[in-house]
Structure formats: structure tokens, C-alpha cells
Amino acid sequence: MKINRNFDNLVPNYLFAEIAKKTSAYATAHPEQKLIRLGIGDVTLPLPRTAVQAMKVGAGELSHKETFKGYPEYEGYDFVREAVAKYYAGFGVKIEADEVFISDGAKSDTGNIGDIFGADNTVTVPDPVYPVYVDANIMAGRRIVYAPGTRENRFLPMPDESIHADIIYLCSPNNPTGAAYSADQLKAWVDYAIKNDAVILYDAAYEAFIEDDCPRSIFAIDGARECAIEFCSLSKTAGFTGVRCGYTVIPKELVRDGHNIHALWYRRQATKFNGVSYPVQRAAAAVFSEEGQKEFKANIEYYKENARIISAALDELGIFYTGGKNSPYIWLECPKGMGSWEFFDYLLENAQVVGTPGEGFGSQGKGYFRLTSFGDRENTVEAVERIKKLLG
């Protein structure tokens, strides 16, 4: 037997293991110090009450023969898919309920979508980048071309007309940089994809954080239905990181190489995925109810206020950054010319604040650093004061 040797080409991801190791060693050596973690990518506020109640009702239904549910539909129950379509309509984007596939999260689908594409496709990903986009395609043996995000383009790379791409990964608002594409910028990507007969894989996991006129969906852009697939998640929208639920939207008219992409994805899911549990889907549908939206938007506003607090401090210190608006992430240039890991150590040892070195997200992340707004307010304020005192 043979192993898939493409795995040999993966760079071992020591980023978070190294962060944990360094943080643990410091905590052990300095037990009297209070560490504040601003590198956390997980939410900290509880689930919306409406979602929890719906989950309880759904679980209760499973205890009665009359309302018991077995295997769920591969693409999700109609009541959730209809709720997602109605949610999109609420910000002016029309999709059909039967174009929605309910899943256990955007990470799974952005990695698994490659199953329906050939290994000889060229893939374009931004750099810095969410690691799953890269690793999933390395595992499949595809050629990867990086679109560099830099200070000059404010970490919003644009198409390079001299390069042909078949598959394009975009994330807006972006993880890790927090930068969000404008409608004009996304239109340029859509036009490029159509010209190259490519497919855009659009990760909208942070769309609920958008507060200005940046598009919340690729399908707000004319032509996107001809070339795009959209992924989203309730992890950051409604705190479902420990519950797991997301959705993927594939227009029924999307065709490549003589094959209907919607039909191919259904075939893949029916083969390899048994669906999301009934109680979780009940909770997901409740998130999109009027009351559920009020509750999750309150949580998001809490995180956005944390981001504003961090951003205001960086403005005061004169440090360049992206994000902090439309996003829970703040991507800053390391001060005093420090490298990413150098700044990590400096911040840990002198302010007892933990963040994420940017080079863990790609070569363009060298000299940059990610902070997040997912902590609680008291710790965020204290961390900011420590950073201002250290760098001011």
C-alpha cells in the first residue's frame, strides 16, 4: 500500500503549539503574573438564549416516537435552508433555499470542496491566509499561487491578469488581517474569474461583523452566480464554535467542465457526510429568527466594541493596522522593526499579553501580529493599558 505523499509537502504547523508552549513556560516561571490572551480565535460569550431554547426543544422531540428524527437530510432540513435564504434577503441578496447546504462549519466545507475539482487545477490564495485553504490543496497535490497582501494594498490582494487561476480562495472580512473587500474590488475578482473560467471559493464567516457598505456576500456582486461558491458559519456569528453548524451556497446554474457544481457537491455530501444533528439545526434556524438576530447582534457588538478599544490604542500609538472595523481581528505592524516572534516574546515578557505572530499565516505575515476582540471587556481594557504603557 502507498500513503498520499502529498502530505510530505505540508509544513508542520507549529504556530499554536509554539504559542502554547511559550505561554505555559512563562506562566510556570511567573505564577504571580496575570496573563491576558488577545490571540484567542474562539468566542467567549454564551450562545444566544433563543438558540439554546430551540436546541432543547429539538432534543426533547427526539424523546417521543411521534416527533423522533433519524438521519437528517444530507443538504439540511428545509426549515433551516429557508431561514438562511430569508436572512440573505434581509441584506438585499437573493438566493434560493435549495441552493443552501447545511454543514458542520465553513472550515470543513472550504477544505472538502476540493473533492469535486481535479488535482491539475491551479489555486490562488491570498497571503497571509487561513491555513486550511493552503493545506487542503497541498494534500490534493494542486499547484498553489499566492496573491500577496501587503501594507501597500492594505492586505487586500487583487487579481494578477498575467496569472491564470482555476480556483480562487477569498475571505472577507479576512482572517487573519481583518481587511474587507469593497464592491468594486470584488467585482474585479468576479470579472477575472469569469474571464479565466475559474471558481471563487468565498469565505464569508465574518460577514455579520460588517458595519459599512462592504458587501456581506459575494452574491451581491453582478456575475457572481456564474463563478462563485459561498461558505459561512455560525461559529463567530452566533457563538457556535462548540456546537458546529454552517452553510454553503452554490447557485444551481454554476457549471464547469460540463458538470453542474451544485449537483456534484450534493453527490459528494451524500457519499461522505451524514448531515447536522436535528437539535443543532433547530438552534441554527432560531439564530435567524427576529429574536435570535437581536441576540447574536448584541454579542457581535460587544466584540466590535473590544475591537474599537484596541484600534483606538493603536491609533494613539501611531501603529499601522488593518481590521478593527468590520472584523473581530486587528492586524498590526510590529513596532520598532521587530519580527513577529520577537514581538510575541516582548509583549509576553513585558506586558503579559499573548497575541499571534503573523508569520504563522504566511510569508507576508512576517513583521505583523494578530490581536482579537473575542476576550471579555475587562481583560481587553487592561491589556490595552498594558500595551500603551509598554509602547507609549
Side-chain angles (χ1 to χ4, degrees), residues 124 147 157-159 168 170 181 185-193 200:
T124 289
M158 297 301 294
I168 302 159
L170 297 177
Y181 280 109
Q185 289 171 320
L186 286 181
K187 177 61 175 168
W189 275 111
V190 166
D191 291 345
Y192 170 85
I200 295 173

Side-chain angles (χ1 to χ4, degrees), residues 18-277:
E18 186 66 16
I19 289 171
K21 179 181 176 181
K22 285 176 172 281
T23 303
S24 178
Y26 184 87
T28 300
H30 304 277
E32 75 287 355
Q33 297 283 9
K34 174 186 174 182
L35 291 178
I36 301 178
R37 291 170 170 81
L38 290 188
I40 185 171
D42 199 355
V43 294
T44 53
L45 294 177
L47 292 170
R49 180 190 58 82
T50 301
V52 173
Q53 289 302 116
M55 194 184 306
K56 290 178 179 178
V57 171
E61 290 180 39
L62 300 183
S63 67
H64 301 284
K65 184 176 181 179
E66 297 76 16
T67 52
F68 175 77
K69 301 288 190 299
Y71 289 121
E73 303 291 340
Y74 300 121
E75 69 273 43
Y77 288 107
D78 287 345
F79 63 82
V80 198
R81 302 168 84 198
E82 290 164 1
V84 172
K86 183 178 179 182
Y87 175 68
Y88 271 68
F91 52 83
V93 174
K94 179 175 174 54
I95 61 169
E96 301 298 332
D98 60 1
E99 295 176 324
V100 178
F101 293 82
I102 305 302
S103 73
D104 61 354
K107 179 179 182 180
S108 299
D109 281 4
T110 55
N112 291 332
I113 195 71
D115 283 2
I116 66 175
F117 299 118
D120 55 350
N121 287 298
T122 296
V123 181
T124 289
V125 296
D127 178 5
V129 68
Y130 184 46
V132 69
Y133 308 158
V134 173
D135 290 351
N137 285 287
I138 289 176
M139 292 173 185
R142 296 190 184 94
R143 174 174 176 257
I144 299 174
V145 176
Y146 293 95
T150 64
R151 176 169 179 165
E152 288 68 34
N153 61 26
R154 295 195 65 84
F155 292 93
L156 292 168
M158 297 301 294
D160 183 341
E161 297 293 343
S162 69
I163 296 174
H164 170 80
D166 303 295
I167 300 169
I168 302 159
Y169 280 86
L170 297 177
C171 178
S172 181
N174 183 269
N175 178 15
T177 70
Y181 280 109
S182 69
D184 288 344
Q185 289 171 320
L186 286 181
K187 177 61 175 168
W189 275 111
V190 166
D191 291 345
Y192 170 85
I194 292 173
K195 179 180 178 181
N196 284 271
D197 198 33
V199 174
I200 295 173
L201 305 180
Y202 189 79
D203 189 345
Y206 302 95
E207 59 81 17
F209 284 82
I210 290 177
E211 60 187 59
D212 58 21
D213 59 355
C214 290
R216 292 173 61 179
S217 167
I218 189 70
F219 298 121
I221 307 302
D222 185 44
R225 291 184 63 87
E226 303 172 37
C227 66
I229 298 171
E230 181 159 296
F231 308 86
C232 201
S233 168
L234 296 184
S235 288
K236 304 305 176 7
T237 298
F240 272 46
T241 53
V243 178
R244 309 306 306 142
C245 192
Y247 50 89
T248 293
V249 182
I250 305 182
K252 286 174 288 186
E253 65 263 36
L254 181 58
V255 174
R256 288 294 183 273
D257 193 22
H259 289 74
N260 183 278
I261 301 300
H262 185 280
L264 284 180
W265 183 241
Y266 177 84
R267 183 68 177 86
R268 187 269 175 203
Q269 293 295 80
T271 301
K272 292 188 174 183
F273 183 59
N274 258 346
V276 177
S277 74

